[in-house]
Amino acid sequence: MCETIIDFPLTNATTKVYQNYVALRDKEVQEGAKHYTALECYNNQNGATRTITLAENVYIEILYNTYYENKTSNENNYSVCFLIKQGTNNYLFTGDLEEEGEEYLVRDNDLPKCLFYKAGHHGSYTASHNVLLDVIEPEICVVCCCAGTDEYSKDKDRQFPSQDFITRISKHTDRVYVPSVVSDNSQGFESMNGDIVIISNGLTHRVVCSNNDTILKETEWFKQNRVWG
């Protein structure tokens, strides 16, 4: 049950996955949900607002992405980008935005330093570039991926989270967390950190993980597959 759905204004997608999404989205709208594009939100149009209150002193700010209005051959650059703001804390989400999109994001928005950054494109070598990281200077980074999966690449250095990503994020923080890691069990994966939760009152904060709180560079997978810095 969704009350509000915000998605990308442009896409080149024609896949069955995309068609299924649109069908489910439109079904929710028929049942009462409101649907806006990120561009409508940014422009405060058609009932949408750039700032959305989630709770007292906690709100979402939709950021401007030039690819809300301009076509690109790279589908990832259509990603909806936003900040969650809570007191003095900022939490940045850039979806699968790639390097060119990150350059425009920095150019077109007044990005603050961020307590939290969800690593772009699952820790791919194609995202989380210095042009963005040097501005937001993240303290905590969560990489939504299964460490070491070969689903997208057989090149071990480019498997999520990639060595290029590690090299760039290491200049800013070692507080990097990953939910799961490849395994030889029947499922093919197991928990690394598990569910990763940041608990904050807007001033102080702590990270709580359902499996363990070990930062990425201290894990056995990392020691065998990556180099810090």
Side-chain angles (χ1 to χ4, degrees):
M1 176 67 72
C2 298
E3 294 184 12
T4 304
I5 301 169
I6 299 169
D7 60 14
F8 38 86
L10 298 177
T11 182
N12 304 323
T14 59
T15 63
K16 184 63 175 175
V17 171
Y18 171 69
Q19 293 169 8
N20 289 343
Y21 162 71
V22 171
L24 290 169
R25 179 196 69 193
D26 292 350
K27 182 175 182 292
E28 289 291 324
V29 171
Q30 291 173 1
E31 294 176 356
K34 295 186 182 301
H35 167 231
Y36 307 112
T37 69
L39 185 61
E40 287 177 311
C41 290
Y42 185 81
N43 289 331
N44 296 300
Q45 292 177 330
N46 302 323
T49 57
R50 186 183 304 179
T51 301
I52 302 161
T53 300
L54 299 179
E56 184 177 356
N57 202 34
V58 181
Y59 56 94
I60 290 176
E61 178 184 330
I62 303 296
L63 300 173
Y64 181 73
N65 177 359
T66 191
Y67 296 111
Y68 294 162
E69 299 184 274
N70 298 289
K71 280 281 190 177
T72 174
S73 60
N74 190 330
E75 187 72 20
N76 291 335
N77 278 328
Y78 289 131
S79 295
V80 175
C81 302
F82 63 93
L83 284 167
I84 293 180
K85 295 190 171 185
Q86 176 202 32
T88 59
N89 294 338
N90 297 288
Y91 308 77
L92 179 63
F93 299 77
T94 61
D96 285 346
L97 200 67
E98 308 278 18
E99 183 174 16
E100 186 176 24
E102 292 173 345
E103 292 173 355
Y104 284 120
L105 191 72
V106 169
R107 184 197 71 179
D108 295 334
N109 298 273
D110 185 15
L111 296 177
K113 291 183 179 180
C114 292
L115 170 67
F116 169 87
Y117 168 57
K118 188 192 77 65
H121 197 182
H122 316 287
S124 170
Y125 71 97
T126 62
S128 301
H129 288 82
N130 293 328
V131 67
L132 176 62
L133 297 179
D134 288 348
V135 171
I136 64 170
E137 298 180 5
E139 295 181 37
I140 301 168
C141 182
V142 170
V143 189
C144 294
C145 73
C146 180
T149 179
D150 62 2
E151 181 179 1
Y152 300 104
S153 177
K154 300 302 180 184
D155 182 342
K156 287 192 174 183
D157 280 349
R158 291 188 170 184
Q159 291 169 1
F160 302 154
S162 68
Q163 181 60 55
D164 285 345
F165 162 76
I166 296 298
T167 300
R168 292 192 289 261
I169 198 68
S170 68
K171 299 175 185 177
H172 300 279
T173 185
D174 65 356
R175 298 176 69 188
V176 180
Y177 301 88
V178 173
S180 62
V181 60
V182 292
S183 171
D184 58 4
N185 65 20
S186 60
Q187 292 181 302
F189 67 92
E190 60 187 43
S191 286
M192 184 175 278
N193 293 121
D195 296 329
I196 304 161
V197 179
I198 298 176
I199 300 173
S200 175
N201 60 8
L203 297 173
T204 61
H205 68 273
R206 58 193 174 100
V207 177
V208 178
C209 302
S210 63
N211 190 42
N212 63 67
D213 298 340
T214 305
I215 58 176
L216 178 62
K217 75 173 186 177
E218 300 299 333
T219 65
E220 286 305 311
W221 177 86
F222 186 92
K223 293 173 183 178
Q224 296 175 20
N225 294 279
R226 294 290 180 263
V227 176
W228 189 255

